[in-house]
Structures are given as structure tokens and as C-alpha cells.
């Protein structure tokens, strides 16, 4: 077994209280990589068809990667998987912080959690041993309060927990660690809360070892030195993910007024530079990472303090609570971010659901009689902040929105589905497929819904792109940039190849701001070298792509079991209507026949059945997944 891997998976049966340890063969780790694909293995093997996502039969997995815990940037990530309460298909979400590395230090590579407890409990793992403890005193408390209480009891620990939103089965609920890092998408917090599992608490001193520490250390030092030299990394370190706000606005890809426009006149007010100039207190990081992209802010809104302990808003949060809602108040957005972290809410889904409600209100589909008196007009920051509280607590109008916008639209009726931005029930993030055409394809076909971190974005493979990016993309066989705004077969191949690479990053549990196809700190070649040096395996770029492809096929196979077909690979009605406003994407829209055409090309590249969009038996066999053909 590679010394960077513990070789132990902890199985937790919350119904019986049984805790057992599995010790898979090294070949298992090599095949599935860790993270998402490893979690999917257990879901595909053990989850019954027709399971209730919020019932005890659902399975929640939390998996690290093969080099998690090594001293190199971008490795401290953990992936959560379960049947999603938002989509009814695969749920998938990643988070960084210190907790992923700490789980490795505590002796385990991952957790498989089944059943449901009779009363609130938490899982305590220390030095290779685990026990379930009473969580009654933790239930109903904010995430920061829980962290404090657990440290008072156990000493220095890392905590992965659900807040009040997860306790109340809010479908937008996240799993939080450090009370400001989130496994945010697809409702994984609701699954954990439905099991009455308040937290996973980890403590350990074991440090995984690299097979070739000299090479790992060299890459770590070189990466640190190169941060200022790589085009996108300096801005990421300086302004965080919010560094992209001006660029997004400039190309018409900054969603405004619930995705009705692609530019936001007051974008500067919610930019990373404005944050740095005004409310930024410091930069934070994840275990062993020198990029330090995490924001820590301090301010107040309406006399309510925004505390540094809850971190600060990322680009997506600034957009969903800012431009989506027509709000240019950075302090209000920072408070919304804090509330999401305190309640344990996915900020993308929550902000997008609120902007959906605002459009419904503006169109007269709902009134103050429905909202409890809230004037849900675009630009109303007070109403936005209040709705975050109501969603987190499942009270008032927030109780309906806690179901997510797709379910809320069905309840509202009256054409409310015209206001949705959801793919497979999951709200779209703040990168617009009207401006980035291949991203629109990925939003439609991605197994867990619209996601901006599942492929590389269009501008990096369009005419005029810099040589730095092209040199890295060449390692994936991508050498021919396409015309801006195009949706050629080559652009579709670009989407597929980079999707496979990003997919691998989510199963090796590597940060996509550090490891990736083109703009990141480490490109494909360096990623393969670091994985090889960490594990001792002879990892190549092609193997990385195959691992990513295997994960995507496992996800499609999972969704097929739960009734998903080609018809579910689509975009919301809103994306087929011309954008408003005056920016570069004003008047731009997707066409349904265009989406169907590009799906045909995509399915051929993937080796999937054109009629269903699902993997063929031959493809599964080729990827060592023949056991799924039964």
C-alpha cells in the first residue's frame, strides 16, 4: 500500500451503532482514485433503488484522496456523495480546509455512513479509533458554537458538521468544516441531518508519507515561487475568487437580476478589489496550501456584526446574493455569507433561490400575502438577508424556499418555472452559458446539475488565448483554439476532455484552483508528477483522464438506476430566451435544436447511448465497471 494512503475505510451504521473498518486492496485505490469515484462505488453497490434521499436507506460517503495530508498545496479536500434530495440523482460536493487532512491523520481515508440514529449523535475519530457520542447539547446551535463546544471537550479537533439547516432537512443544506468551508452543492447537509448525525469530529497525529518526498517538496516550492508568475494565480491570491468579477462583467457572464442580464452596472461594488480595499481583514488557507485564496472579512450590516470567524464571501456568493438579486451592498452580501456559514447553507443555491423568488415577486406570481409582508423586489438587501434566516430556520416563506427553487416553482405554479435557473433541480452558478457555450453543454449533461467546476471554460480555448494556457492544454491533445462564442465539434471535444480531467480532480480530491488543465498552479503534467511522487504509482496524464472518465460513467450509471435519461440533460427555459440589458450577451440565447445537436456529438465522444444518454455495456467494461452491467 502506498504510504500516502492509510488503507482503511470506516463503515458507520447509525441504526445499530456498529462501527467497522474495511481494508481495501491497493488496486481498489488505484482504480477509483479516492474521493467521488470511491464514494460512488459504495453507493452503486449498496444503495437500494427507489430510496428516499432523506430516509435512513440513503448512504452518505465522505472520502479523501490518495495524497491528502501531504505537504503540498491543494491536497486537503474531501468529497461528499449521496442520493441528492435536490435532484433525486447523484449528489456530489467537495470542500477544502483542514478537516480532510485531519481525517487522514486520524487513521482513515474515508467514511461510509448508513442508517439513521434514534437521537442526535456525533462521530468522534481519534488515532485510528471511533465512537458515537451524544450530540443533544450541540443540536440547534450555530456552526461556530458547535466548534467551540467540541474543542472545549476534546481539545484541538477538526469538525465536519451540519448547522440548523441540515438539522431541519433544508434541501440546500451544506456540510461545514471550520464553520466557513462547505460541501455546499446538492443537499449533502440535508442527508447528514436526516440521519441525526450532527458532526464528524477528527483528531490524529499520523502523517502520511510520500513515496518520493524530494519531488513533492520540489513541486511545492516551485509552485509557491510561481504564484506571481502564473496569469490567474496572482489575482486569486490577492483578491480571492472574486478577482473574476470585472472579467465576468466584461464578457457578459455576470448573472444579474436572476439571470435575466449578463452584466451588472454596479459590479465594482461587489468586486474582489473593493472587498480588499474595504472589509478584508486577512487571507486564510487550507492545510499546507500557499495560495491563501480564502477571504476573511470584518464589517457590519444594519448594526449586525460580520465576524472574521465565518470567513468571507467567494465569487459565487458575491454574485448570487449580489448581482443575481440586484444588490450592490457588499456589507449585506457579507452578512448573507456569514448566515449561510452559521446555518450551514449552500450559498449558491440559497442566493439563486432568493433571486428566483424576487423575479416571481416582480412578475406578480407571489405577493406580500405569500411572503409574510416581505417586499421581494430586486435590490432589497434587507429582504434578502431576512430570507436567508428564514430558509436556514425553515420558517415563514423560507420554509417553501428551503425546498429549493425547483420544488418551490411547482408549489407556486402560474408559470413560475419560467423563472428557474436549475439543471436537474440544482441552481446554476455564476458563469453564464450564453457567454460560454461549451459550459452550457456541461450544465445540461453534468450528472449532478449545473456546475462551473466540471470543465474548463470557453475563453481558454478561443482565438487569442495566451501561450501559457495552450501549452498546458496540449497535454490533453487540445491544440486548436476555436472562434469566440462558437460551438464547434472541437469545442465539444474540449469540453469533454477537460471535463474528464476535472472529474479526476474530484476523485483524487485535489483543489481545482491548484491542479487542473490550464490556468491553475499545476497543469496536467505537474499533476501527474505530484500524484506519482506521492503514491509511488506510475501515474500518467492519460491515467488521470481515465480515472475521471470512470467517475463520470459511474455517475451516469447511478442516475440511470434512478430514472434519468437524455431528456434530463437539458437547460432551464430561461436560458432559451434572449438576455436583456445592454452588455455583450444582450439578446443572446441558447436554441433547443443547438443543444440537441451538441449532445449527440458529446454522447459519441463519451461512448454513451444516443437515445438515453447512458453508458453502454461496452463502455462500462472498458472502464473496469462491468460489474454495473448486471
Amino acid at each position: 500500500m502506498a504510504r500516502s494512503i492509510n488503507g482503511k475505510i470506516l463503515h458507520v451504521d447509525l441504526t445499530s451503532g456498529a462501527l467497522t473498518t474495511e481494508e481495501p486492496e491497493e488496486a481498489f485505490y488505484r482504480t477509483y482514485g479516492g474521493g467521488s469515484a470511491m464514494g460512488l462505488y459504495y453507493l452503486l453497490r449498496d444503495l437500494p433503488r427507489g430510496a428516499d434521499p432523506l430516509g435512513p436507506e440513503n448512504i452518505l460517503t465522505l472520502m479523501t484522496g490518495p495524497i491528502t495530508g501531504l505537504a503540498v498545496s491543494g491536497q486537503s479536500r474531501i468529497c461528499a456523495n449521496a442520493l441528492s434530495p435536490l435532484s433525486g440523482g447523484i449528489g456530489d460536493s467537495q470542500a477544502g480546509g483542514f478537516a480532510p487532512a485531519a481525517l487522514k491523520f486520524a487513521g482513515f481515508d474515508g467514511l461510509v455512513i448508513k442508517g439513521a440514529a434514534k437521537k442526535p449523535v456525533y462521530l468522534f475519530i481519534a488515532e485510528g479509533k471511533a465512537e458515537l457520542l451524544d450530540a443533544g447539547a450541540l443540536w440547534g446551535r450555530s456552526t461556530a458554537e458547535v466548534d467551540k463546544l467540541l474543542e472545549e471537550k476534546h481539545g484541538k479537533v477538526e469538525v465536519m458538521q451540519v448547522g440548523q439547516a441540515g438539522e431541519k432537512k433544508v434541501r440546500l443544506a451544506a456540510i461545514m468544516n471550520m464553520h466557513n468551508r462547505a460541501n455546499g452543492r446538492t443537499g449533502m447537509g440535508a442527508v447528514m441531518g436526516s440521519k441525526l448525525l450532527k458532526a464528524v469530529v477528527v483528531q490524529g497525529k499520523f502523517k502520511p508519507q510520500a513515496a518520493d518526498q524530494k519531488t513533492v517538496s520540489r513541486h511545492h516550492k516551485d509552485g509557491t515561487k510561481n504564484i506571481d508568475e502564473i496569469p490567474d494565480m496572482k489575482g486569486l491570491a490577492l483578491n480571492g475568487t472574486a478577482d473574476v468579477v470585472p472579467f465576468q462583467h466584461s464578457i457578459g457572464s455576470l448573472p444579474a437580476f436572476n439571470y435575466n442580464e449578463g452584466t451588472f452596472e454596479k459590479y465594482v461594488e461587489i468586486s474582489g478589489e473593493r472587498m480588499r480595499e474595504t472589509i478584508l481583514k486577512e487571507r486564510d488557507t487550507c492545510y499546507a496550501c500557499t495560495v491563501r485564496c480564502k477571504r476573511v472579512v470584518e464589517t457590519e450590516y444594519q448594526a449586525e456584526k460580520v465576524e472574521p470567524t465565518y470567513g468571507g464571501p467567494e465569487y459565487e456568493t458575491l454574485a448570487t446574493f449580489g448581482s443575481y438579486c440586484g444588490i450592490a451592498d457588499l456589507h449585506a452580501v457579507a452578512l448573507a455569507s456569514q448566515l449561510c456559514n452559521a446555518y450551514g447553507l449552500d450559498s449558491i443555491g440559497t442566493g439563486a433561490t432568493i433571486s428566483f423568488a424576487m423575479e416571481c415577486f416582480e412578475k406578480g406570481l407571489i405577493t406580500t400575502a405569500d411572503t409574510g409582508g416581505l417586499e421581494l423586489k430586486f435590490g432589497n438587501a434587507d429582504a434578502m438577508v431576512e430570507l436567508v434566516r428564514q430558509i436556514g430556520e425553515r420558517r415563514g416563506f423560507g420554509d417553501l424556499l428551503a425546498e429549493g427553487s425547483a420544488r418551490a416553482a411547482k408549489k407556486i405554479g402560474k408559470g413560475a418555472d419560467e423563472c428557474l435557473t436549475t439543471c436537474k433541480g440544482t441552481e446554476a452558478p455564476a458563469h453564464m452559458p450564453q457567454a460560454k457555450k461549451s459550459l452550457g453543454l456541461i450544465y445540461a449533461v453534468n450528472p449532478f446539475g449545473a456546475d462551473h467546476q466540471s470543465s474548463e471554460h470557453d475563453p481558454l480555448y478561443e482565438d487569442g488565448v495566451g501561450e501559457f494556457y495552450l501549452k498546458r492544454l496540449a497535454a490533453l491533445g487540445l491544440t486548436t483554439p476555436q472562434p469566440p462564442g462558437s460551438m464547434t465539434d472541437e469545442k465539444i471535444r474540449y469540453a469533454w476532455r477537460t471535463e474528464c480531467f476535472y472529474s479526476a480532480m474530484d476523485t483524487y480530491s485535489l483543489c481545482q484552483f491548484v491542479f487542473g488543465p490550464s490556468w491553475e498552479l499545476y497543469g496536467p503534467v505537474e499533476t501527474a508528477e505530484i500524484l506519482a511522487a506521492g503514491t509511488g504509482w506510475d501515474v500518467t496524464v492519460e491515467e488521470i483522464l481515465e480515472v475521471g472518465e470512470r467517475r463520470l460513467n459511474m455517475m451516469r450509471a447511478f442516475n440511470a438506476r434512478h430514472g434519468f435519461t437524455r431528456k434530463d440533460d437539458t437547460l432551464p427555459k430561461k436560458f432559451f430566451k434572449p438576455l436583456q440589458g445592454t452588455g455583450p450577451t444582450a439578446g443572446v440565447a441558447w436554441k433547443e435544436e443547438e443543444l440537441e445537436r451538441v449532445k449527440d456529438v458529446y454522447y459519441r465522444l463519451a461512448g454513451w447511448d444516443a437515445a438515453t444518454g447512458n453508458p453502454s455495456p461496452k463502455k462500462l467494461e472498458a472502464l473496469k465497471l462491468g460489474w454495473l452491467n448486471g
Side-chain angles (χ1 to χ4, degrees), residues 72-312:
V72 65
S73 295
Q75 45 58 46
S76 187
R77 305 284 293 177
I78 195 160
C79 185
N81 288 103
L83 181 63
S84 169
L86 270 178
S87 71
I90 188 61
D92 186 272
S93 183
Q94 290 75 39
F98 281 70
L103 176 60
K104 205 76 166 284
F105 300 162
F108 294 96
D109 301 309
L111 311 174
V112 180
I113 302 166
K114 299 179 180 180
K118 294 183 175 63
K119 62 180 182 179
V121 297
Y122 68 94
L123 177 65
F124 181 58
I125 306 172
E127 307 299 344
K129 297 180 180 180
E131 59 182 326
L132 290 167
L133 301 174
D134 181 73
L138 306 177
W139 205 253
R141 295 182 181 270
S142 71
T143 55
E145 288 179 306
V146 169
D147 278 353
K148 182 179 179 182
L149 288 170
L150 287 168
E151 288 217 345
E152 288 174 353
K153 180 173 181 178
H154 296 291
K156 178 59 178 173
V157 290
E158 295 295 336
V159 179
M160 292 171 280
Q161 61 165 307
V162 294
Q164 295 168 53
E167 295 173 1
K168 296 178 181 294
K169 303 178 189 177
V170 174
R171 293 180 192 267
L172 302 168
I175 300 172
M176 305 298 302
N177 78 80
M178 299 177 71
H179 50 269
N180 57 41
R181 310 302 209 272
N183 288 98
R185 312 299 331 264
T186 67
M188 296 298 92
V191 175
M192 187 165 161
S194 73
K195 296 181 174 299
L196 296 184
L197 178 62
K198 177 63 177 175
V200 176
V201 184
V202 290
Q203 185 182 70
K205 298 177 181 177
F206 166 78
K207 292 292 179 73
Q209 300 296 310
D212 179 357
Q213 184 58 51
K214 184 177 179 180
T215 298
V216 171
S217 297
R218 174 174 58 80
H219 277 293
H220 186 49
K221 291 176 182 176
D222 288 348
T224 303
K225 289 188 298 184
N226 291 337
I227 286 175
D228 287 349
E229 305 302 320
I230 296 175
D232 295 282
M233 296 308 297
K234 184 176 181 180
L236 181 65
L238 186 65
N239 293 320
T241 55
D243 188 60
V244 303
V245 170
F247 174 73
Q248 288 284 93
H249 170 81
S250 73
I251 65 169
S253 184
L254 178 61
F257 306 103
N258 194 39
Y259 253 90
N260 285 316
E261 299 183 26
T263 57
F264 185 51
E265 183 181 5
K266 298 180 180 179
Y267 73 93
V268 173
E269 300 303 316
I270 58 170
S271 67
E273 186 174 4
R274 183 56 53 87
M275 191 193 313
R276 177 167 52 84
E277 292 170 346
T278 56
I279 67 174
L280 185 69
K281 183 177 177 65
E282 60 181 297
R283 294 160 51 199
D284 196 7
T285 191
C286 300
Y287 174 77
C289 187
T290 59
V291 177
R292 302 186 67 83
C293 70
K294 182 66 179 170
R295 305 296 93 178
V296 178
V297 304
E298 186 172 29
T299 185
E300 64 178 53
Y301 177 75
Q302 302 290 48
E304 183 168 355
K305 294 286 187 183
V306 177
E307 305 285 354
T309 188
Y310 282 112

